[in-house]
Amino acid sequence: MTTAHWLFGDQLGPHFLAPAAEGPGRDAPVVIIEARSVFRRRRFHRAKAHLVLSAMRHRAAELGDRVRYVRSETYREGLREAVGDAPVTVHHPTSHAALRLVRSLEQVTVLPPRGFLVPLTEFHAWAEERGTRRLRQEDFYRWVRREHDLLMDGDDPAGGHWNLDHDNREPPPARVDTLGAPAPYRPREDAIDEEVRHDLDRWEREGVARFVGRDGHRRFPASRREALAALRRFTEHRLAGFGPHEDAMLAADPVMSHSLLSSSLNLGLLHPLECVERAEDAWRSDKAPLNSVEGFVRQIAGWREYVWQLYWHFGDDYRDSNALGHHAPLPDWFLELDADAVTARCLATALAQVRDTGWTHHIPRLMLLGSYALQHGWDPRAVTDWFHRCFVDGYDWVMLPNVVGMSQYADGGRMTTKPYTSGGSYVNRMSDLCAGCAYRPTERSGDRACPYTTGYWAFLHRHRERLAGNHRTAQAVRGLDRLADLDELLCRARDLGDAPP
Ligand code: FAD
């Protein structure tokens, strides 16, 4: 009999079953395990729990008689119920914990990972070759573009430049509430979603699991068919406008021209190669300008791939990094996504987006939510856990580098050259969120001082010594000496404390 193949809940696309030398056998029976312990352990966003369960059950429905779908307390129990002690194969899972588990099970053969562009061994060789030099995302990205012949004209980057970021950092257009991009794809719920909603309601009633955030109509694809429709909608109608305002924020237009494809990629419903190839096709057939297409390819072939590689490269104890010695617990209003308690319009808006949808784009994540946590010295491990639980696209591999490294600078600069945080003037320049806010981005002390402006200077002051020695932050630190109201500002920062700003 053919060896059964086990699919984790983030291995749901056809490429995880495609037969190959190191893949499952053609027509191998499939096992999918819905382990309740995952939901008992963490208080996930309701929309995320719904999406993951819906996607797993949609995959099971597609596979029909080929799949044994087991609902159990743990993965171990589920596997036993599905195949007893018969051998199974599984593709390399996406977290250290899951890899430890499958390696500890004698009956399981672990096959190489799928769903990424660069094999782990090739990245390892690339990193080794660089010796003691810092690993730079830009170098990695260019290497991936060459290796995969992405957006290349022979040996040169298409259009003559590798990096078109200078065209992609514009503030939002003046005097508009929305970018006016065509609407993103919205899935329709079906009977599987109804069953999932019913189960989650029951789990909550019976105390099996507790959730955070609001339930609502499912917004993200749960099947390959839906994910392909979302990709098509994006590349045909929205990609052209992706680039210029990639970093901008508009209160009434949370999605702008972003793709909303992260959850589909991370569930394994889409392969990154098909996403970047379709984007390149759009450019080659004059349907989207190069800056937008390069920006999108950079996000997927550059950032996403790099983050995946760094997760394994840095190892499991990376999660315990805490170079800045931040230990404050997250306050309840943040944990509960209580946006209504927050006065600062930018933070209230981002927190409400998370509460209502489990998603915001990268700038609210980095420069509003993450930046606030960093300025207030919240424990990076708890911040990582919060992001992981509250975002529909959050998984261990993608959270650790993005939150521990990029957002909280807890690794002391292994991933980025400086901490990402700013005062209110950045938010004011890149969004319409300061208009109508009770605070003033230019004021750093006093009752109307913007909490981000106060927090920024207080953060620089707290880590003055370390940041003075970093050429990218030294000048900002020198600015502290010119502040006549530093004492008043630090008082204001203390007064803000844990309360919602
Ligand atoms: P787009 O803006 O349309 O970008 C296209 C794609 O690029 C995304 O779908 C995503 O797959 C990929 N991408 C871009 N940047 C990154 C990155 N830094 N890491 C990984 N993929 C990237 N992304 C996640 O997928 N899961 C997360 O849990 C996650 N947490 C984040 C936490 C913080 C603090 C920050 C700063 C970023 C995080 N990101 C995460 C990256 C990024 O914010 C999201 O991928 C993006 O906002 C998802 O929306 P989108 O699909 O519309 O992305």
Side-chain angles (χ1 to χ4, degrees):
M1 198 182 128
T2 335
T3 306
H5 185 75
W6 176 9
L7 291 177
F8 274 98
D10 57 358
Q11 300 179 330
L12 301 179
H15 48 283
F16 288 96
L17 289 181
E22 290 188 298
R26 185 178 298 278
D27 303 325
V30 173
V31 174
I32 298 180
I33 303 168
E34 194 178 292
R36 262 189 312 270
S37 56
V38 174
F39 296 94
R40 273 193 213 280
R41 269 199 302 269
R42 281 198 152 109
R43 194 170 164 219
F44 286 108
H45 197 296
R46 170 79 190 224
K48 178 180 191 169
H50 185 118
L51 177 64
V52 172
L53 290 182
S54 178
M56 290 170 69
R57 294 180 189 184
H58 274 92
R59 185 63 173 133
E62 277 165 16
L63 290 167
D65 291 346
R66 191 179 164 190
V67 69
R68 179 83 205 273
Y69 193 88
V70 180
R71 295 172 194 195
S72 61
E73 187 56 32
T74 66
Y75 286 122
R76 275 175 204 275
E77 285 172 22
L79 194 62
R80 187 141 301 273
E81 192 180 325
V83 296
D85 52 12
V88 286
T89 56
V90 68
H91 280 296
H92 187 296
T94 60
S95 74
H96 291 289
L99 183 62
R100 268 194 305 275
L101 169 73
V102 295
R103 282 189 173 154
S104 74
L105 299 169
E106 244 175 60
Q107 71 196 104
V108 178
T109 302
V110 183
L111 305 171
R114 284 197 180 171
F116 292 90
L117 298 170
V118 180
L120 296 175
T121 46
E122 282 183 24
F123 178 82
H124 184 70
W126 177 83
E128 289 270 291
E129 209 181 278
R130 312 196 68 72
T132 52
R133 276 177 298 160
R134 171 191 272 280
L135 300 180
R136 288 180 58 227
Q137 186 269 347
E138 184 68 32
D139 299 338
F140 171 77
Y141 166 63
R142 293 179 188 189
W143 176 63
V144 175
R145 287 234 337 238
R146 279 206 182 91
E147 289 290 301
H148 288 269
D149 198 22
L150 290 175
L151 273 186
M152 297 296 292
D153 280 337
D155 288 340
D156 297 320
H161 299 283
W162 289 105
N163 185 326
L164 300 178
D165 272 359
H166 54 274
D167 294 332
N168 291 346
R169 294 253 164 88
E170 288 181 23
R175 290 179 295 280
V176 298
D177 290 341
T178 76
L179 269 192
Y185 170 81
R186 284 271 177 261
R188 271 204 201 115
E189 289 200 357
D190 59 13
I192 294 179
D193 291 295
E194 209 174 301
E195 183 202 54
V196 168
R197 180 158 289 115
H198 178 267
D199 286 352
L200 293 178
D201 285 344
R202 184 166 49 79
W203 287 3
E204 257 187 318
R205 261 195 328 272
E206 293 171 359
V208 171
R210 286 171 65 230
F211 302 103
V212 66
R214 291 189 178 159
D215 185 20
H217 188 92
R218 176 167 60 77
R219 291 168 176 264
F220 299 92
S223 67
R224 171 78 178 160
R225 188 184 55 75
E226 290 182 349
L228 282 175
L231 176 60
R232 200 175 319 117
R233 171 98 191 140
F234 174 70
T235 48
E236 286 177 11
H237 301 284
R238 297 165 48 77
L239 171 63
F242 178 81
H245 305 291
E246 220 186 312
D247 285 0
M249 299 174 277
L250 285 170
D253 186 4
V255 179
M256 304 180 83
S257 282
H258 290 277
S259 70
L260 295 181
L261 291 174
S262 52
S263 58
S264 303
L265 279 156
N266 297 353
L267 285 166
L269 294 171
L270 293 176
H271 193 285
L273 193 59
E274 65 188 332
C275 298
V276 292
E277 283 181 347
R278 285 202 191 198
E280 178 165 356
D281 287 349
W283 173 65
R284 294 208 182 268
S285 53
D286 281 335
K287 293 197 181 113
L290 187 57
N291 63 313
S292 286
V293 172
E294 191 281 320
F296 182 69
V297 169
R298 168 179 295 273
Q299 295 302 316
I300 292 192
W303 280 110
R304 181 174 190 273
E305 198 70 21
Y306 190 57
V307 157
W308 162 253
Q309 300 292 346
L310 289 186
Y311 176 76
W312 298 104
H313 183 73
F314 287 156
D316 199 12
D317 48 6
Y318 186 71
R319 73 182 70 246
D320 298 320
S321 313
N322 195 349
L324 299 180
H326 283 175
H327 296 289
L330 272 55
D332 281 347
W333 58 268
F334 198 81
L335 287 168
E336 297 297 327
L337 310 180
D338 187 1
D340 297 338
V342 177
T343 305
R345 187 168 175 238
C346 59
L347 184 57
T349 305
L351 208 55
Q353 286 166 11
V354 181
R355 177 195 65 199
D356 297 344
T357 67
W359 180 93
T360 64
H361 78 67
H362 67 140
I363 297 300
R365 294 188 203 204
L366 187 65
M367 300 309 286
L368 295 177
L369 301 164
S371 171
Y372 198 82
L374 178 67
Q375 292 183 354
H376 290 261
W378 295 350
D379 181 349
R381 216 180 141 127
V383 178
T384 309
D385 181 63
W386 180 86
F387 270 102
H388 184 149
R389 293 184 296 104
C390 294
F391 279 78
V392 287
D393 52 20
Y395 291 84
D396 201 50
W397 69 267
V398 70
M399 276 308 161
L400 252 58
N402 271 310
V403 183
V404 172
M406 171 114 76
S407 160
Q408 299 302 297
Y409 200 68
D411 64 359
R414 287 175 83 186
M415 178 158 177
T416 62
T417 48
K418 64 165 187 148
Y420 278 97
T421 186
S422 75
S425 53
Y426 169 86
V427 179
N428 194 26
R429 189 169 69 254
M430 293 307 291
S431 78
D432 63 354
L433 291 159
C434 299
C437 181
Y439 301 115
R440 298 287 168 271
T442 48
E443 293 181 24
R444 52 182 181 257
S445 55
D447 289 347
R448 295 192 336 163
C450 166
Y452 281 93
T453 309
T454 309
Y456 172 72
W457 289 110
F459 171 77
L460 288 184
H461 176 75
R462 195 162 73 242
H463 296 293
R464 183 177 199 133
E465 216 171 296
R466 171 188 280 270
L467 299 177
N470 177 335
H471 75 281
R472 294 206 62 198
T473 45
Q475 194 182 351
V477 171
R478 282 195 294 277
L480 278 170
D481 299 330
R482 290 193 293 273
L483 301 185
D485 57 351
L486 182 60
D487 289 341
E488 217 182 319
L489 177 161
L490 295 175
C491 253
R492 163 90 174 143
R494 265 194 304 278
D495 287 350
L496 277 173
D498 263 2

